[in-house]
Amino acid sequence: MKSMNKQNRVLLRAFAFTIIILVVFGWIAQLVSRQEIAAFDHKITDAVRSVHSDTMTIWMKIFTELGSEFLVILMIVIFAAVLAFIGYRRELIFYLGVIGASALLNLLLKAIFQRARPDINRIVEASGFSFPSGHSMSAFTLYGITIYFLWKHLKHRWMRTAVILIGTVLIVMIGISRIYLGVHYPSDVIGGYLISAAWLIMSIGLYERFLEQRWLSRKFRLQEERNEGPSPI
């Protein structure tokens, strides 16, 4: 009973955080739709561009490649293969489901808002609509779900801390690189982070609840088998 109450609280917090994040995303999306966020976008873009240099451009191109479609798919295939090899079937289904749904959600949101990309000071070319940022969404979802799995299975605290720090840096830098390279507005990146965070928190909350219920069901079944004792001959 205590375990169930704990899981109920965890799920409730997950939904609460999801709702809060979605409200913030909705507010930003409304500002984007009304074209009332230009001043904010220009201010942040100017700040990011203020560190422009040839060396910085090389680094930003490297970071943006870490969120590119090719590398994202490659990392998904590798991690999925590892999960399949070690027999983590439920984890594999959850992993692919979360990432696949995130990609579809990005396509849907882009089709709804149809925001054009920035058209000045581009360093690289990109096609498609701008809001929310696909690179930011895919990076947050992919690295976020990977961090979650590694955090659950790594034994040492320093390993968990290192994974979280490295993943966070990659997610943030991929988003900044999109602004620096001139293919996204800051609000695109923030919107991508928010919607991915909401999706990831809700998904992990439901998944943890599923695992707990499955564990409790198995525990009760074993207890009933012990109480029944050996079958009479």
Side-chain angles (χ1 to χ4, degrees), residues 78-96:
I78 292 173
F79 199 80
V82 171
L83 291 175
F85 179 76
I86 60 181
Y88 282 22
R89 182 180 175 183
R90 290 188 303 273
E91 287 81 354
L92 175 60
I93 295 173
F94 176 67
Y95 180 75
L96 294 178

Side-chain angles (χ1 to χ4, degrees), residues 26-54:
W27 174 62
I28 293 176
Q30 188 177 44
L31 293 177
V32 169
S33 298
R34 294 178 178 178
Q35 300 182 357
E36 296 176 352
I37 202 169
F40 169 82
D41 282 333
H42 291 157
K43 184 176 182 179
I44 301 300
T45 299
D46 289 343
V48 172
R49 289 289 187 87
S50 66
V51 296
H52 181 275
S53 69
D54 292 340

Side-chain angles (χ1 to χ4, degrees), residues 3-17:
S3 179
M4 184 62 71
N5 289 335
K6 180 181 178 181
Q7 284 303 312
N8 287 337
R9 290 195 296 271
V10 170
L11 187 60
L12 182 61
R13 285 198 295 267
F15 275 112
F17 279 119

Side-chain angles (χ1 to χ4, degrees), residues 49 116-128 180-183:
R49 289 289 187 87
R117 292 180 183 271
D119 56 0
I120 57 173
N121 298 325
R122 282 194 190 181
I123 298 175
V124 298
E125 290 300 320
S127 59
Y180 179 94
L181 296 172
V183 291

Side-chain angles (χ1 to χ4, degrees), residues 137-153:
M137 281 191 67
S138 62
F140 198 106
T141 304
L142 172 62
Y143 292 114
I145 195 68
T146 303
I147 289 170
Y148 164 71
F149 278 126
L150 293 176
W151 184 86
K152 283 176 67 71
H153 293 96

Side-chain angles (χ1 to χ4, degrees), residues 51-205:
V51 296
H52 181 275
S53 69
D54 292 340
T55 301
M56 184 62 69
T57 299
I58 292 173
W59 276 107
M60 290 300 174
K61 287 182 177 180
I62 292 173
F63 279 117
T64 209
E65 281 301 314
L66 293 175
S68 66
E69 184 177 352
F70 172 76
L71 282 182
V72 165
I73 293 175
L74 179 61
M75 285 185 282
I76 291 171
V77 171
I78 292 173
F79 199 80
V82 171
L83 291 175
F85 179 76
I86 60 181
Y88 282 22
R89 182 180 175 183
R90 290 188 303 273
E91 287 81 354
L92 175 60
I93 295 173
F94 176 67
Y95 180 75
L96 294 178
V98 168
I99 293 174
S102 177
L104 292 175
L105 181 59
N106 179 256
L107 293 175
L108 176 62
L109 291 172
K110 282 180 179 290
I112 291 173
F113 294 102
Q114 297 187 8
R115 188 187 197 187
R117 292 180 183 271
D119 56 0
I120 57 173
N121 298 325
R122 282 194 190 181
I123 298 175
V124 298
E125 290 300 320
S127 59
F129 295 117
S130 189
F131 181 85
S133 166
H135 267 66
S136 299
M137 281 191 67
S138 62
F140 198 106
T141 304
L142 172 62
Y143 292 114
I145 195 68
T146 303
I147 289 170
Y148 164 71
F149 278 126
L150 293 176
W151 184 86
K152 283 176 67 71
H153 293 96
L154 290 175
K155 295 180 180 180
H156 302 290
R157 180 176 295 180
W158 71 267
M159 291 182 177
R160 292 180 175 182
T161 302
V163 165
I164 292 173
L165 289 176
I166 293 171
T168 301
V169 169
L170 287 175
I171 291 170
V172 171
M173 291 308 301
I174 288 171
I176 291 176
S177 72
R178 304 305 284 170
I179 301 170
Y180 179 94
L181 296 172
V183 291
H184 275 298
Y185 298 103
S187 52
D188 298 333
V189 173
I190 295 172
Y193 287 159
L194 288 172
I195 199 66
S196 289
W199 170 241
L200 206 55
I201 290 172
M202 182 180 69
S203 299
I204 291 175

